[in-house]
Amino acid sequence: MIKIPEDKVIITVAQTGALVTKAMNAELPEQPDEIAESAYACYQEGAAICHIHARDKSGVTTGSKEVFQDIHDRIRSKCKMIIQDSTGGGPNLSFEQRVECIHANPEMASLNMGSLMRISGPYAGKPFANLPKEIETYVTWMRERGIKPEMEIYSHSMLRDVENLIKKGLVEKPYYINLVIGMSYQGAIDATPKYLNSLIDFLPQDAIFNVTPVGAAQLPLTTMGMILGGCVRVGMEDNIYYRKGELVKNNAQFVARAVRIARELNKEPATPDEARKILGLKIP
Ligand code: KMH
Ligand code: ZN
């Protein structure tokens, strides 16, 4: 595992996701103008990377290249944030629809390792399937377009899929691995300090890690992630509460808190270009 420079933290904001709705939190940014405006507010607070899911006009998750392109153009007209599209998409999207976004030229895209089973909500019993061959297909298409994969793992067993990509030379150093902890899916691990430490123990050499704790664990375990030399992700995709019983006002509120904590730990949020350097991305 590689620690990022001690005095820096790369903050990703995941603003929308696939499952949160305005009925759960009316401030959820869904449409391209809302996503871009909110991304800019997060950038001003210190976020370097914007993880993007798109919605259609009625608020349903879409893989539409045109909608992603609209979001990218709007964000790029305002700031130099790193754009990281989701190829996890949402449970309503097919394998092909999930990956359409890479034709809208993001610099990074999520690449989910392993498979999980949804066990609650409207999609209970529907798998979140990512078979080894499918992962290899996605990563090959990303490589052809110069897109850096953000490999998401939800349990230790998914490191096997990461190792497979490394062995086959399909991913470049530094490997960027997102440790998602606390998803309420079968096959996912809980968001506890012990599990986080243990995942870090098993990371391959030359891997930078990011921590994405889901729900109330977002605050304590992103703090722990910073202390352990990682990057962190906050945002309404993974958590809609600022604290128990209090809905977050907007995504920037989460970023601002992460930056305050980082500064207490003598770290500064990496700018998008500093983050590009650390992650081995081209500076535009
Ligand atoms: N909502 C996250 C825990 C993706 O977009 O590819 C999972 C995620 C997947 O971010
Ligand atoms: Zn996502």
Side-chain angles (χ1 to χ4, degrees):
M1 186 267 279
I2 309 174
K3 289 189 182 183
I4 67 164
E6 217 177 328
D7 58 344
K8 292 287 169 195
V9 60
I10 299 175
I11 300 175
T12 294
V13 65
Q15 306 196 94
T16 308
L19 302 172
V20 181
T21 63
K22 281 189 189 283
M24 297 174 189
N25 187 326
E27 304 309 320
L28 184 79
E30 282 185 343
Q31 298 306 312
D33 59 331
E34 296 171 332
I35 291 174
E37 198 180 311
S38 172
Y40 185 58
C42 293
Y43 161 78
Q44 286 180 309
E45 292 293 349
I49 303 177
C50 189
H51 172 86
I52 298 174
H53 289 250
R55 303 286 177 97
D56 67 14
K57 289 210 163 28
S58 63
V60 174
T61 296
T62 177
S64 161
K65 181 206 155 199
E66 285 69 34
V67 180
F68 274 93
Q69 190 68 64
D70 188 11
I71 296 168
H72 296 180
D73 292 347
R74 287 172 188 267
I75 294 177
R76 286 181 175 140
S77 74
K78 288 172 187 282
C79 64
K80 281 184 81 183
M81 265 179 130
I82 298 170
I83 290 183
Q84 179 195 93
D85 285 342
S86 168
T87 67
N92 59 325
L93 302 185
S94 67
F95 177 77
E96 290 76 21
Q97 288 170 327
R98 280 171 50 187
V99 77
E100 230 189 280
C101 56
I102 67 170
H103 299 286
N105 295 321
E107 286 171 89
M108 298 181 78
S110 67
L111 181 67
N112 290 270
M113 304 288 113
S115 297
L116 296 158
M117 181 59 87
R118 299 179 173 96
I119 52 174
S120 58
Y123 297 100
K126 190 170 162 63
F128 179 31
N130 299 285
L131 299 176
K133 270 278 160 259
E134 295 173 336
I135 298 170
E136 288 174 25
T137 303
Y138 272 9
V139 82
T140 303
W141 290 340
M142 288 181 196
R143 277 174 77 74
E144 287 166 2
R145 289 168 180 77
I147 297 167
K148 188 172 183 80
E150 179 244 31
M151 293 178 271
E152 300 205 6
I153 67 163
Y154 303 74
S155 73
H156 300 73
S157 63
M158 295 186 186
L159 284 167
R160 196 184 264 179
D161 295 297
V162 174
E163 293 293 352
N164 176 50
L165 298 182
I166 294 174
K167 233 186 274 157
K168 291 189 170 157
L170 292 171
V171 282
E172 307 288 335
K173 295 175 191 174
Y175 313 122
Y176 186 63
I177 302 182
N178 185 7
L179 311 177
V180 182
I181 45 179
M183 286 282 281
S184 56
Y185 285 6
Q186 185 184 35
I189 58 171
D190 288 336
T192 67
K194 212 166 172 174
Y195 272 131
L196 176 57
N197 255 324
S198 151
L199 278 178
I200 293 168
D201 275 350
F202 284 98
L203 286 174
Q205 265 186 4
D206 304 309
I208 291 173
F209 72 92
N210 177 83
V211 185
T212 295
V214 176
Q218 191 171 84
L219 172 61
L221 290 189
T222 51
T223 305
M224 184 172 160
M226 289 186 211
I227 293 167
L228 295 174
C231 314
V232 299
R233 169 168 133 177
V234 294
M236 293 167 81
E237 170 166 347
D238 308 306
N239 174 30
I240 55 171
Y241 290 96
Y242 189 71
R243 58 173 69 88
K244 196 170 165 58
E246 182 184 324
L247 288 169
V248 72
K249 289 194 183 80
N250 49 50
N251 282 287
Q253 199 185 6
F254 280 139
V255 177
R257 179 165 65 182
V259 169
R260 285 199 303 277
I261 293 166
R263 290 192 169 132
E264 289 298 328
L265 298 169
N266 296 321
K267 294 173 189 289
E268 278 299 308
T271 64
D273 277 352
E274 287 170 342
R276 285 183 176 94
K277 233 168 131 187
I278 294 167
L279 300 178
L281 297 170
K282 281 198 206 101
I283 310 276

